[in-house]
Amino acid sequence: MGFRIALAVTLLAGSTMLNAPLRAQQLATISGKVTDAKTGEPIGAAAVLVQGTQAGAITSIDGTYRITRAPLGAQTVVARRIGYPPGQKQLTLVEGGSETVDFALTASATELEAIVVTGTVGNQSRAAQGAVVASIDASDVTSKAPIQNVTDVLEGRVPGVNVEQASGTIGAAPRINIRGATSISLSNAPLVFIDGVRMNSDAQQVLGNYHNLEGLGGQTVTALNDLNPDDIESIEIVKGPAAATLYGADASAGVIQIITKKGHQGAHGFTQNIAAEWNQVKPNFTPLPLYGTCGPSDVAPGGADLCQGHDPGFVISDNPLVRGGVFRNGDLNALDYSGQGGGDNYGFFVSGSLNNESGTSPNNEYRRRTGRSSFNWTVNPKLSVDAMVGISYNKYRIPEGDDASYGYLTQGEFESNPFNVKLAPDGTRSGGISTPVVGLESVLNQLTTLRYTPSAQIHYNPFSWFSNRLTVGGDVSSTHGFTFFPRNDENWFGGDQANGYVEDVQNPINIYTVDYLGDLKKSFGENDHITSDFSFGSQYINTTNNFLAGVGLGLATNSSNLVSSASSTESHQLYSQEKSFGLLAQEAVSFGQTLFLQAGARVDKNSAFGKSYGSFFLPKAGVSYVMSQEPFWSKLASTISTFRLRAAYGTTGRSPTPGASLRTYTPFPFVNPDGTVGPGVVQASPGNPNLKPERGTEFETGFDAGFLHERIGLEFTYFDKKTSDLLLQEPLAPSLAFTTNPFVNAGKVDNRGVELGLHGSPIATKTVTWDIAVTANTLNNKLVSLGDIAIPDRAEISPDMTFRYVAGKPLGAWYSSKVIKVDTAAGFATVTNTPVYAGPQFPTFQANLSNTVTLFHNLRLYALFTSQSGGKILNVTPLIQDLFGTSAGVNLPAGKGGYSLEEKIRRFGPFQTADGTPVGLVLDSYLQPTDFVRLQEVSATLSLPANVARQLHAASASITVAGKNLHLWKSSKFQGYDPEVISSTQTTGTNQFATTEEFTVPQPRRIVVRLNLQF
């Protein structure tokens, strides 16, 4: 039904547009130049539009533009660019006439007149929005910072957006949260759109899902890596109620809109860019050695080689990963090409990129090939068409990692024993590791993804007061995964991998989007002081996911590693389809440029809803009051040039996973009386016909202020996001004979916090500019209720260490007995009577600082610091080494790297309560703070002299030298390499809350050199 309605809307809109007058018209021409008012520098990529029409142009790098076929009569021409308030000029155009209109834009820290396209309908100026929509000038970020992927563009630039890189494995997905976690069972990752078309952005665990392989140890990949960041013009992020109307029942975790680069309509030229980049990727850590203390049998003849010739009590050590040279410098080589151009009424953009990257460990590679093209055509002042297509081919080789049995750090820091090391006569060491490095290197985990992202937008304004936009597109991807453990005679592997193992996965995921939006605009009152925008539209999204895996155990030869060549084979398939359809409407009323009111609603249907559940209603309201527009503000204007109050309320949601509401069965063979086996089924889940989406309601309020004539801008927001009707599994009695517990709606979660953004240009002269940006946010995440559902505590290593879902505490809160006192004389530690709340999984405070200094228009210096505090991580790596007696702390003397007597008792006990009751292993010492300050990015970009550029046959040239992850200041209480790493980046279920460091490779350090040529 939803598809038929969407198709009807599409055909109706399309037939209306085809009636547009397409004949050639002799109209007027507008040309000019856009510059920075303070520096006089030309402003490229600025949009110059004839207001209320589709006639417009994009400025070239020299700031010039040309609009042909502009409509006749009195017109308003507007120039816009991120970072500047729009310039606006009125003129009267006559047939065949030509007008010159120049704009000198003044940089503004508040940007209230900027246009935002994400989460907005009708009046799209930032000033008209009651909720915050954050914008990132991606083209500016990629020009100065060491950026390898889209998540690098997001990190540290927007308050409330938490990007945890999680691992130093090249290609591994980060964990992204916006304003905290809201769901226990569903994904807390934001939705992602490219030019208005939904893309698959979930972290995917495609490989190693069977036979105890632990899914590469919790590592995942993301489709965001498939995009070339140099193809992105800007990114807009919807964090709260603004998502309610346009994105509906799936937007409770926020929305990221990626806006790609387009052609330069009206530029009358063709500009080409070629960039060549080289990275050195350094491990940035040294693997931990393993220690042991020699006993009498070890020093005796025939004992451990490393103990021979020493007395009992001698401490030996070995580092098989270092002597095997496992972690070494990797590199990246990249070549990027783009071309932009256009004519009077059309523009085009083409790009292609090649990226080859080798990680810091064997079998870690990433290859990316991308291409993108777009064509925008203004048919006439009423009708324009944009068509885009992107293609990417990505190939990953990812080693086993984190807590996977055959991960390098797991083997080197846990599955090794210095007492088993063999010494050759020349002192060369060998052995001592459960699976030799050559065996670990032989494991192959490979992923390839081919992705197409075609889309088109049609803009049609039949009248100045009536606008239409139709967006159609898709994200069509096909992923092939392959895991291979070779057969060998050295007993490298155990279990089901001992005699050869192969896993072959095919996983096509297709998402199709049809989106229509119309707007009726009417001005009335004295001097048309009051303006009404009534917006309406619909959105249809169809998602299919087909996961097919073949598994083979036991190979006769490694040269034939097909699943069909194995002695035992099995297959697994998961298929899902989800259809969603929404209708929306919004009324926005503005009173001049001072007061803006919004009220809207959306109604959603989704195939994943329970059969008996109806539609999902999502209301929205907002108010924005630009107080600085009032006459009384003139007395304050010299100090506070802009001041706006805003507030918004909205409802969003998160739909159940496909099939969650259905009654399901599991295949189960049965034996006939004659001994033959027949196909049968057993009950899986009883389903829930009343299952509905999780409901998120959010209120936010705040202000925007500009100081000192817009040199400094301050943005403050308070948000309160409440989620109800959580999807939780209800335990059933075993006597009911269901093998899967059904989902029900129960429970509530609350996220509150404040967000702060400070942007400024303390110095802006013709020779020196200094731009500074500070972002900060707090987060108070709290489980309010689980209804009648109880989620069992999940123990980690010891029954005393758990993460729990307790009302009044954060989701997945850490609980542990706490050491109150250590009595070294008596030799025991006193702990609390029961495990107590020990901290949240996620940081409660984040802050970032960036500075950009430009000298003489030729040298740009840039630095970004990121920081966080308040979170806790279970540091499993030192815990395991301590428990197995292989750590430096256990074996070395106190003061020389070993633990003091007090610290040994604190870590190993014995433990007892104040009344003398014995307590088992207490891991309080290993629950450690994730606080850090990181020098995340540093760069220097030099524009080369014109004569050097000419020698390179270029119009201009620049060279950038940069570094990433250059220094880390961490808490002295954290024992690991990097407090930001986590051993699992799964985005659904309770595993998404397990913040542990378990033999995880830390983030590498990068040194980057980039040469950019423009023709």
Side-chain angles (χ1 to χ4, degrees):
M1 179 65 179
F3 176 76
R4 292 195 295 271
I5 296 175
L7 182 60
V9 171
T10 302
L11 293 176
L12 177 61
S15 63
T16 304
M17 293 171 185
L18 288 175
N19 288 325
L22 302 180
R23 64 187 185 277
Q25 301 177 40
Q26 179 61 44
L27 301 175
T29 300
I30 307 171
S31 60
K33 187 174 185 178
V34 181
T35 58
D36 186 294
K38 290 184 178 179
T39 67
E41 288 290 296
I43 299 176
V48 184
L49 299 171
V50 179
Q51 198 171 70
T53 76
Q54 294 301 312
I58 303 295
T59 59
S60 301
I61 191 172
D62 62 358
T64 60
Y65 73 94
R66 179 181 171 87
I67 303 172
T68 60
R69 304 176 68 192
L72 306 181
Q75 303 293 343
T76 300
V77 183
V78 181
R80 299 181 184 273
R81 181 70 170 93
I82 294 178
Y84 298 86
Q88 183 172 298
K89 294 189 177 182
Q90 285 79 34
L91 71 164
T92 301
L93 299 175
V94 297
E95 185 172 349
S98 179
E99 297 287 341
T100 299
V101 181
D102 295 330
F103 294 90
L105 304 184
T106 303
S108 170
T110 53
E111 298 186 68
L112 290 187
E113 296 305 315
I115 294 295
V116 290
V117 300
T118 309
T120 62
V121 295
N123 187 342
Q124 294 181 313
S125 71
R126 191 179 301 276
Q129 312 309 316
V132 170
V133 178
S135 297
I136 300 174
D137 188 345
S139 59
D140 178 66
V141 172
T142 55
S143 70
K144 65 184 179 183
I147 301 297
Q148 275 72 49
N149 50 56
V150 174
T151 55
D152 285 347
V153 180
L154 298 172
E155 188 173 15
R157 300 178 218 282
V158 176
V161 179
N162 181 21
V163 180
E164 293 180 274
Q165 291 298 337
S167 170
T169 301
I170 302 302
R175 182 167 68 181
I176 303 176
N177 286 122
I178 297 177
R179 289 184 175 173
T182 60
S183 179
I184 294 175
S185 302
L186 303 179
S187 173
N188 286 291
L191 302 182
V192 178
F193 287 74
I194 303 177
D195 296 321
V197 175
R198 177 87 168 265
M199 73 168 290
N200 173 37
S201 57
D202 290 337
Q204 295 175 269
Q205 199 167 55
V206 178
L207 293 176
N209 292 306
Y210 306 100
H211 296 275
N212 300 314
L213 286 184
E214 301 178 88
L216 300 181
Q219 298 176 110
T220 59
V221 298
T222 173
L224 288 175
N225 286 341
D226 297 351
L227 304 176
N228 177 11
D230 287 324
D231 287 345
I232 301 173
E233 185 68 37
S234 62
I235 297 177
E236 294 183 352
I237 301 172
V238 177
K239 295 182 281 187
T245 305
L246 285 190
Y247 301 104
D250 263 332
S252 62
V255 178
I256 296 174
Q257 176 84 258
I258 296 172
I259 302 167
T260 61
K261 293 179 179 177
K262 307 296 189 299
H264 284 173
Q265 188 172 149
H268 287 274
F270 182 45
T271 302
Q272 301 177 83
N273 284 276
I274 296 177
E277 182 174 317
W278 173 85
N279 291 192
Q280 182 187 62
V281 185
K282 306 184 70 172
N284 204 27
F285 80 109
T286 301
L288 296 173
L290 280 80
Y291 293 85
T293 301
C294 299
S297 61
D298 300 315
V299 301
D305 282 12
L306 295 183
C307 292
Q308 297 300 296
H310 299 286
D311 297 326
F314 180 76
V315 176
I316 60 175
S317 67
D318 184 52
N319 198 325
L321 299 181
V322 170
R323 60 180 164 87
V326 172
F327 291 97
R328 70 287 188 272
N329 290 342
D331 60 30
L332 176 146
N333 297 284
L335 184 65
D336 186 89
Y337 168 83
S338 66
Q340 286 178 295
D344 286 345
N345 62 339
Y346 69 91
F348 59 89
F349 172 83
V350 293
S351 73
S353 73
L354 181 153
N355 184 307
N356 293 333
E357 185 169 7
S358 298
T360 59
S361 64
N363 281 353
N364 186 200
E365 298 176 354
Y366 177 49
R367 305 287 183 263
R368 183 178 69 203
R369 310 288 185 266
T370 70
R372 176 167 289 276
S373 65
S374 72
F375 182 79
N376 48 298
W377 176 33
T378 300
V379 181
N380 57 50
K382 298 182 178 182
L383 177 66
S384 69
V385 180
D386 297 341
M388 295 81 70
V389 62
I391 181 172
S392 65
Y393 174 79
N394 302 271
K395 182 177 180 181
Y396 303 84
R397 293 185 68 179
I398 299 179
E400 300 285 304
D402 298 325
D403 62 348
S405 298
Y406 300 106
Y408 290 109
L409 288 183
T410 302
Q411 286 286 322
E413 297 181 345
F414 173 39
E415 300 282 353
S416 294
N417 189 340
F419 293 100
N420 294 336
V421 173
K422 299 301 179 183
L423 278 178
D426 61 356
T428 302
R429 298 185 179 192
S430 63
I433 186 170
S434 176
T435 300
V437 172
V438 65
L440 301 177
E441 292 177 346
S442 70
V443 178
L444 176 63
N445 294 299
Q446 184 169 288
L447 274 172
T448 57
T449 298
L450 181 63
R451 177 180 303 277
Y452 297 92
T453 53
S455 64
Q457 280 192 349
I458 301 174
H459 298 264
Y460 178 47
N461 298 5
F463 309 101
S464 60
W465 47 268
F466 183 25
S467 63
N468 299 269
R469 186 195 71 195
L470 176 67
T471 302
V472 294
D475 177 15
V476 182
S477 67
S478 178
T479 297
H480 175 220
F482 184 71
T483 292
F484 174 50
F485 283 74
R487 178 187 180 92
N488 65 91
D489 298 325
E490 307 297 329
N491 297 318
W492 289 344
F493 315 116
D496 291 336
Q497 288 75 43
N499 297 310
Y501 176 92
V502 61
E503 187 178 307
D504 199 302
V505 175
Q506 301 286 341
N507 186 204
I509 301 176
N510 301 324
I511 305 177
Y512 301 100
T513 301
V514 180
D515 186 291
Y516 167 74
L517 189 63
D519 183 72
L520 301 173
K521 185 173 183 177
K522 175 65 176 177
S523 296
F524 50 91
E526 186 178 355
N527 298 320
D528 288 340
H529 179 68
I530 302 174
T531 300
S532 166
D533 278 280
F534 178 71
S535 304
F536 54 93
S538 64
Q539 185 183 68
Y540 171 77
I541 297 177
N542 186 345
T543 303
T544 59
N545 187 337
N546 188 8
F547 181 93
L548 179 62
V551 179
L553 289 77
L555 298 173
T557 174
N558 291 327
S559 61
S560 180
N561 57 5
L562 300 176
V563 173
S564 59
S565 299
S567 59
S568 174
T569 63
E570 61 190 60
S571 61
H572 307 267
Q573 185 172 18
L574 297 169
Y575 177 85
S576 67
Q577 182 176 26
E578 180 180 6
K579 298 178 181 180
S580 66
F581 178 72
L583 294 172
L584 62 94
Q586 175 179 290
E587 171 63 26
V589 179
S590 60
F591 298 85
Q593 297 298 312
T594 304
L595 180 63
F596 304 87
L597 305 175
Q598 290 180 346
R602 173 170 170 145
V603 178
D604 268 16
K605 293 283 289 184
N606 190 297
S607 60
F609 295 171
K611 186 176 181 180
S612 299
Y613 179 71
S615 301
F616 191 41
F617 180 69
L618 304 100
K620 169 191 175 182
V623 57
S624 173
Y625 177 34
V626 186
M627 193 178 294
S628 55
Q629 291 285 338
E630 296 285 6
F632 65 78
W633 197 266
S634 59
K635 297 179 181 180
L636 300 173
S638 60
T639 303
I640 307 177
S641 47
T642 302
F643 188 78
R644 174 175 77 124
L645 296 173
R646 50 181 162 75
Y649 170 87
T651 300
T652 58
R654 205 60 155 178
S655 298
T657 55
S661 65
L662 303 178
R663 187 182 185 97
T664 57
Y665 300 86
T666 299
F668 195 86
F670 68 91
V671 180
N672 291 304
D674 61 1
T676 60
V677 177
V681 295
V682 295
Q683 298 182 108
S685 170
N688 182 354
N690 297 310
L691 195 66
K692 52 189 175 183
E694 296 183 342
R695 178 178 291 271
T697 58
E698 184 167 5
F699 171 76
E700 74 171 50
T701 185
F703 66 85
D704 304 278
F707 301 91
L708 305 177
H709 302 287
E710 296 302 297
R711 287 205 168 187
I712 298 175
L714 177 64
E715 178 185 284
F716 175 85
T717 302
Y718 166 80
F719 67 89
D720 186 351
K721 180 164 61 173
K722 300 180 184 298
T723 304
S724 59
D725 295 329
L726 294 181
L727 268 74
L728 303 173
Q729 286 186 290
E730 181 180 32
L732 298 179
S735 59
L736 295 176
F738 287 101
T739 60
T740 302
N741 292 324
F743 280 96
V744 296
N745 293 104
K748 299 178 181 179
V749 173
D750 189 16
N751 285 275
R752 299 181 183 181
V754 297
E755 297 169 348
L756 179 71
L758 178 67
H759 306 270
S761 299
I763 300 176
T765 68
K766 292 188 176 182
T767 56
V768 179
T769 59
W770 173 26
D771 299 315
I772 185 171
V774 178
T775 64
N777 63 270
T778 65
L779 176 64
N780 180 13
N781 172 260
K782 182 175 67 175
L783 175 63
V784 178
S785 166
L786 287 174
D788 296 327
I789 305 298
I791 300 177
D793 301 341
R794 172 170 162 173
E796 292 287 342
I797 309 299
S798 167
D800 187 76
M801 173 62 70
T802 57
F803 69 82
R804 307 180 181 183
Y805 296 91
V806 178
K809 302 299 181 185
L811 294 178
W814 288 113
Y815 273 75
S816 172
S817 293
K818 192 169 186 62
V819 176
I820 301 173
K821 182 178 66 174
V822 175
D823 189 333
T824 55
F828 67 86
T830 302
V831 300
T832 53
N833 291 335
T834 58
V836 297
Y837 172 63
Q841 300 268 354
F842 297 95
T844 58
F845 176 76
Q846 293 176 292
N848 309 290
L849 168 66
S850 69
N851 280 278
T852 304
V853 177
T854 305
L855 304 174
F856 308 104
H857 307 299
N858 293 322
L859 178 62
R860 181 160 60 170
L861 307 175
Y862 163 79
L864 170 67
F865 290 84
T866 59
S867 69
Q868 69 176 39
S869 62
K872 291 290 186 72
I873 189 170
L874 181 61
N875 204 339
V876 176
T877 300
L879 165 61
I880 293 294
Q881 288 201 338
D882 281 352
L883 292 181
F884 283 83
T886 60
S887 68
V890 170
N891 291 277
L892 296 177
K896 296 184 178 180
Y899 296 136
S900 65
L901 176 59
E902 179 182 352
E903 189 63 23
K904 285 184 177 180
I905 296 174
R906 182 180 298 277
R907 290 173 181 263
F908 309 122
F911 304 101
Q912 63 181 45
T913 61
D915 62 5
T917 303
V919 177
L921 182 62
V922 174
L923 303 181
D924 178 49
S925 296
Y926 301 96
L927 195 59
Q928 299 172 354
T930 60
D931 305 357
F932 70 81
V933 175
R934 190 190 305 274
L935 180 53
Q936 183 73 22
E937 298 168 353
V938 171
S939 73
T941 300
L942 177 65
S943 297
L944 300 179
N947 61 330
V948 175
R950 284 194 296 270
Q951 292 178 7
L952 297 172
H953 304 285
S956 63
S958 65
I959 186 168
T960 298
V961 178
K964 189 177 182 68
N965 191 27
L966 295 181
H967 192 76
L968 178 69
W969 296 269
K970 57 185 179 180
S971 170
S972 60
K973 296 180 180 180
F974 180 78
Q975 286 183 275
Y977 305 120
D978 189 331
E980 195 176 7
V981 301
I982 49 177
S983 61
S984 175
T985 52
Q986 297 181 39
T987 58
T988 58
T990 57
N991 281 343
Q992 65 183 309
F993 298 101
T995 305
T996 61
E997 191 287 307
E998 195 166 356
F999 307 109
T1000 304
V1001 177
Q1003 298 180 48
R1005 175 178 297 166
R1006 289 178 182 268
I1007 304 299
V1008 178
V1009 178
R1010 180 182 176 102
L1011 175 65
N1012 190 81
L1013 304 176
Q1014 188 170 79
F1015 302 88

